[in-house]
Amino acid sequence: MSKTNESLMQRRQAAVPRGVGQIHPIFAEKAENATVTDVEGREFIDFAGGIAVLNTGHLHPKIVSAVQHQLTKLSHTCFQVLAYEPYVELCEKINAKVPGDFAKKTLLVTTGSEAVENAVKIARAATGRAGVIAFTGAYHGRTMMTLGLTGKVVPYSAGMGIMPGSVFRAQFPCAQHDVSVDDAMASIERIFKNDVEPRDIAAIIIEPVQGEGGFYVAPKDFMARLRALCDQHGILLIADEVQTGAGRTGTFFAMEQMGVVADLTTFAKSIAGGFPVAGVCGKAEHMDAIAPGGLGGTYAGSPIACAAALAVLEVFEEEQLLERCKAVGERLVTGLKAIQAKHNSIGDVRALGAMIAMELCEGGDLHKPNAALTGQIVAKARDKGLILLSCGTYGNVLRVLVPLTAPDAQMDKGLAIIAECFDELA
């Protein structure tokens, strides 16, 4: 009996807890670059990229080759037991790429949530303080501490009770929704006045571009004022670059475009082209604040994932993917704005590099989010062979995270599908 998406969905529902969501009722069988083929043999254009994991595309030949070569040598020792060079080499290269003219060290772990958890641990140890300020609309992970930092209850922490304390929520500046830089800064000052003294705050954590929150770009002026505030009070600034890092925004790290540098930077997702590795990079003195044994993990910095990440860095250089990123962003934004010109249900098209979003609303009013239409567009696009994702606090933002290696013709076909969906639905 041949496998079908429907039969596999039935097996999935019987075997996998419902808390593991699934956006598309599709089971992938194979993939190459920006094309995914399901178990029924149907091809889809991938504008999701595994949620920003595949900037170098599915199964880039250079990454496959690096992994195959590493598999002939060793797959695991646990770095804390027996070290291996790829881990050290990757840390050296990340130290060189993360913004900041100071000595750096890098910790490798396995997931983005783990990276954020460890960044908070390091900040607490380095400062001797416990509090953390995060922002409205933030997404930092699904573990307990990162859920405390994440600024959205449903679906991430609904039904799980109160998350860990010592987290305080400030407003993220967002001109589209009438939150100015002054408003955001004032919200931090209110925290200092009403909730906790600055000397009890270890870190302020921020995404340079909010991911799940809706692809809102942090204004440079805000980042400069945030940096000055941290310096004034001895607070560490953590840049969560899990989604923005590895070239998605046109620079390898988005903070390169923000005019200031963070004390600690988290990364994951596209850094290893689909293989699980993540990490924290920061000032050496902060990174060394925790004694031996306080950092690490059994699978942290897997030799295979390190080999893949080193290959990703080579691909970025050889194929000039940062320049390609800018071209991808310009092409897609131009196409999406042409669609916007015909449909007032698209309230905003925004991007930093190739991190692109369309915000859907009723009658062009950004204060009236249209989550229903967003869901309909995602489903209709799938029916036409295009994989899209939604995001945003109100579920009304379409986001595009296409591999940077996708051919122009394929991106144009994806744009044509999006245009058809709006013509039919909006």
Side-chain angles (χ1 to χ4, degrees), residues 131-136 166-171 184-198 201 204 229 235:
V132 182
I133 293 175
F135 291 90
T136 52
S166 301
V167 175
F168 304 89
R169 186 85 50 207
Q171 287 187 293
M185 292 303 299
S187 73
I188 299 174
E189 292 299 338
R190 280 196 297 273
I191 290 171
F192 292 160
K193 183 177 288 292
N194 299 325
D195 300 303
V196 62
E197 290 184 283
I201 296 294
I204 297 178
L229 184 76
I235 297 168

Side-chain angles (χ1 to χ4, degrees), residues 262-287:
D263 299 293
L264 300 172
T265 299
T266 64
F267 57 91
K269 288 195 179 281
S270 270
I271 197 69
F275 290 84
V277 73
V280 185
C281 178
K283 290 183 177 180
E285 64 266 31
H286 301 327
M287 297 297 294

